Amino acid sequence: MKTPNPNFVNGVPELLLLQLLSDREMYGYELVKAIQERTSGLLAFGEGCVYPILHALEQDGAVKSQRREMVGRTRNYYRLTGRGKRRLVALSADWDRAVRGVSLVLGGQHA
Amino acid sequence: MPKECRVEAFRTELRRRGLPRRYAGRAAQELAEHWEDLRQEAELTGVSSEEAELFANDTLGNWDQLAAAFHAAHFKGSLPVRYSFMFFFFGPLLLFTVLCVSLFAFGAMAGYLAGWWGSGSSLNARDWAMLGVGVRAGHAGTVIITQAAFCWLAWRYRLGLRGATYSAVGLSMYSMIHQVTYRTPSMGNRGALLWTFGLGDDLWSGIALFVSLAALSWLISKRLSKATHRRLGLGMRGLMSDGSET
């Protein structure tokens, strides 16, 4: 029996953050700017909302944070862990399946 | 509102919601730093400092909604929320057993050092009777402490009645399979303290004791939960189990 995936929609911000952190470690503001840049500003959201998601990922052991000084400013840098990498793979697969499913419903126009 | 006041109000709001001081401080600090980055970003475009602050406020998001999101995220990952049934059903049994064993072991050790046990015991019949009352009171007190501790945890993690009910049911069921029997020593009889598992003769009084204590704690938990919801200005249902608000 296939298990339902409650993160079908809710897991999207997680997926984006994990994907960006798979490239390199970043702090919150940097992550938000990277999302805006890579999505050409298509995703609009209150920027503060990335922190609760990052903290939840940190509680799950998917990311680790470290306070570090860079160019005169101290910030919390987040980096992906081994568990985070596995989660990214799982979430990516879920997302890919969801996109393909939705595309099929829409008549393959968006595949 | 100036940034410092807003950040302090945010920190206070997180504390009111039951988040640890350290976490509230970290969350407030990260938002303040993000706000500062946004303000600097806006100032680089040549706008006035007031416009830059307005931009930072608008872009960061509503602080009340952010407080709710931080609250939900913090508790969502915790053991009592993620595995609430396992935690609140089996946790009390573990704590109760540990407390009981510790209490009786401490009593046995203290009695040994005081010379209460053995043929040369300094205790008279009245002392033995008092000791029996003490053992029963200690046993009942352990139940109360256990249930109260888990009621507090249920309130702390905003699981309210659900967590308290699991705990009450767990302790009540536990009462069906274990008995603590104390027999006062008399002439030719050394007396005994027996802690046995399995269905015993004293089943119904055991059930009544545990259920009544659990029900009492359940009511206390309900009051605690209502008081918290009133304090935070939430609706009747208050916080959902996953931390989101109704």
Side-chain angles (χ1 to χ4, degrees), chain B:
Chain B
M1 188 190 286
K3 184 191 86 174
E4 288 74 19
C5 296
R6 198 182 292 269
V7 170
E8 193 47 45
F10 176 75
R11 194 198 316 265
T12 306
E13 176 59 21
L14 291 187
R15 292 287 297 139
R16 281 201 330 138
R17 286 171 176 269
L19 272 72
R21 186 184 304 276
R22 194 173 167 190
Y23 180 74
R26 177 191 165 177
Q29 188 178 41
E30 282 191 308
L31 283 187
E33 286 165 1
H34 197 112
W35 188 93
E36 188 57 32
D37 282 329
L38 287 168
R39 191 188 64 79
Q40 286 182 6
E41 175 193 331
E43 279 189 341
L44 285 175
T45 64
V47 298
S48 68
S49 57
E50 287 79 17
E51 284 171 320
E53 288 187 8
L54 271 176
F55 168 78
N57 285 336
D58 288 346
T59 312
L60 196 61
N62 181 289
W63 288 77
D64 290 336
Q65 287 175 3
L66 285 173
F70 273 98
H71 173 266
H74 180 73
F75 286 119
K76 194 177 177 183
S78 60
L79 200 68
V81 173
R82 192 180 285 185
Y83 306 106
S84 53
F85 177 75
M86 296 287 281
F87 186 88
F88 286 96
F89 188 82
F90 293 108
L93 310 189
L94 187 68
L95 178 65
F96 174 72
T97 306
V98 168
L99 283 177
C100 267
V101 169
S102 307
L103 186 70
F104 291 148
F106 176 78
M109 185 64 75
Y112 175 78
L113 292 174
W116 290 354
W117 321 134
S119 54
S121 172
S122 59
L123 300 181
N124 57 31
R126 188 169 169 276
D127 294 333
W128 283 112
M130 290 297 289
L131 198 61
V133 172
V135 167
R136 287 195 173 87
H139 184 239
T142 310
V143 180
I144 294 172
I145 289 169
T146 303
Q147 181 66 5
F150 277 84
C151 283
W152 181 82
L153 279 171
W155 166 78
R156 171 81 177 71
Y157 286 94
R158 302 297 186 265
L159 287 164
L161 297 177
R162 187 155 68 100
T165 305
Y166 288 156
S167 174
V169 171
L171 280 173
S172 302
M173 287 180 73
Y174 193 50
S175 75
M176 292 185 209
I177 58 162
H178 98 284
Q179 294 83 42
V180 174
T181 312
Y182 177 80
R183 194 171 65 230
T184 308
S186 55
M187 286 295 282
N189 179 2
R190 286 170 63 108
L193 174 62
L194 295 173
W195 191 359
T196 54
F197 284 85
L199 297 175
D201 299 336
D202 208 18
L203 177 66
W204 293 109
S205 63
I207 292 173
L209 171 70
F210 275 81
V211 170
S212 57
L213 288 171
L216 181 67
S217 305
W218 186 77
L219 286 171
I220 293 168
S221 168
K222 196 174 175 182
R223 285 189 72 85
L224 249 180
S225 187
K226 273 186 179 173
T228 306
H229 290 167
R230 269 201 301 273
R231 190 162 58 89
L232 293 179
L234 304 176
M236 280 300 285
R237 281 175 57 115
L239 292 164
M240 301 293 284
S241 58
D242 64 356
S244 60
E245 290 178 15
T246 54

Side-chain angles (χ1 to χ4, degrees), chain A residues 7 10 14 27-30 32-33 36 45-56 58-60 65 67 73-76 78, chain B residues 23 26-27 29-34 36-38 40-42 55 58-62 66 69-71 73-78 82:
Chain A
N7 288 330
N10 292 340
E14 279 183 28
Y27 56 92
Y29 179 78
E30 242 185 331
V32 171
K33 292 301 141 193
Q36 288 173 350
F45 51 90
E47 295 188 5
C49 75
V50 296
Y51 295 101
I53 301 167
L54 284 168
H55 294 177
E58 191 176 13
Q59 275 186 342
D60 290 344
S65 73
R67 194 130 185 95
R73 292 280 301 272
T74 313
R75 304 169 195 275
N76 269 351
Y78 293 88
Chain B
Y23 180 74
R26 177 191 165 177
Q29 188 178 41
E30 282 191 308
L31 283 187
E33 286 165 1
H34 197 112
E36 188 57 32
D37 282 329
L38 287 168
Q40 286 182 6
E41 175 193 331
F55 168 78
D58 288 346
T59 312
L60 196 61
N62 181 289
L66 285 173
F70 273 98
H71 173 266
H74 180 73
F75 286 119
K76 194 177 177 183
S78 60
R82 192 180 285 185

